[in-house]
Amino acid sequence: QVQLVESGGESVQAGGSLRLSCAASGSIFSINTMFWYRQAPGKQRELVATMTNSGGTNYADSVKGRFTISRDNAKNAVYLQMNSLKPDDTAVYYCRVLVSTRLYWGQGTQVTVFS
């Protein structure tokens, strides 16, 4: 079993920055792909950023140029640096990891961007 704990979510003014962290623990041999998702009130959960274990990245169009995903394999951690935040970025942010063939979710961290 794998546990994921996110942190770093808070309320921030538009234009500001936040860095989210997600630490994995438990029965981990190696983590393959790591993801960040978000879910805004009344909306479906959407994929924000992806990072493979070889360092390849992909971003939703809405965050390209503003958000950066990174990972620390030694710490089994993934990060999301969010710059130039907008009110539309308000959501609960979840990390997700692929370990072997299984996917695991974190519990989420709230990000609120006010104008």
Side-chain angles (χ1 to χ4, degrees):
Q1 193 71 322
V2 174
Q3 295 79 42
L4 301 174
V5 178
E6 297 105 331
S7 60
E10 59 181 75
S11 294
V12 64
Q13 192 167 21
S17 298
L18 284 176
R19 185 178 188 239
L20 305 184
S21 300
C22 174
S25 62
S27 302
I28 300 172
F29 176 68
S30 67
I31 298 177
N32 297 319
T33 307
M34 307 181 89
F35 312 83
W36 283 101
Y37 285 75
R38 67 185 181 187
Q39 188 166 19
K43 295 187 177 180
Q44 289 189 329
R45 194 170 295 188
E46 64 171 343
L47 178 61
V48 174
T50 303
M51 190 168 196
T52 67
N53 57 359
S54 61
T57 59
N58 195 33
Y59 297 91
D61 287 343
S62 58
V63 307
K64 279 181 182 176
R66 299 188 299 121
F67 290 11
T68 302
I69 188 171
S70 61
R71 61 191 285 171
D72 185 333
N73 291 330
K75 296 181 179 180
N76 291 322
V78 61
Y79 308 96
L80 188 67
Q81 178 66 43
M82 305 186 295
N83 299 327
S84 302
L85 283 161
K86 305 175 181 179
D88 284 349
D89 295 320
T90 295
V92 178
Y93 284 72
Y94 300 88
C95 69
R96 194 182 194 196
V97 300
L98 176 63
V99 178
S100 183
T101 59
R102 294 191 64 179
L103 287 161
Y104 298 90
W105 286 100
Q107 83 289 349
T109 185
Q110 176 71 47
V111 172
T112 302
V113 184
F114 58 92
S115 56

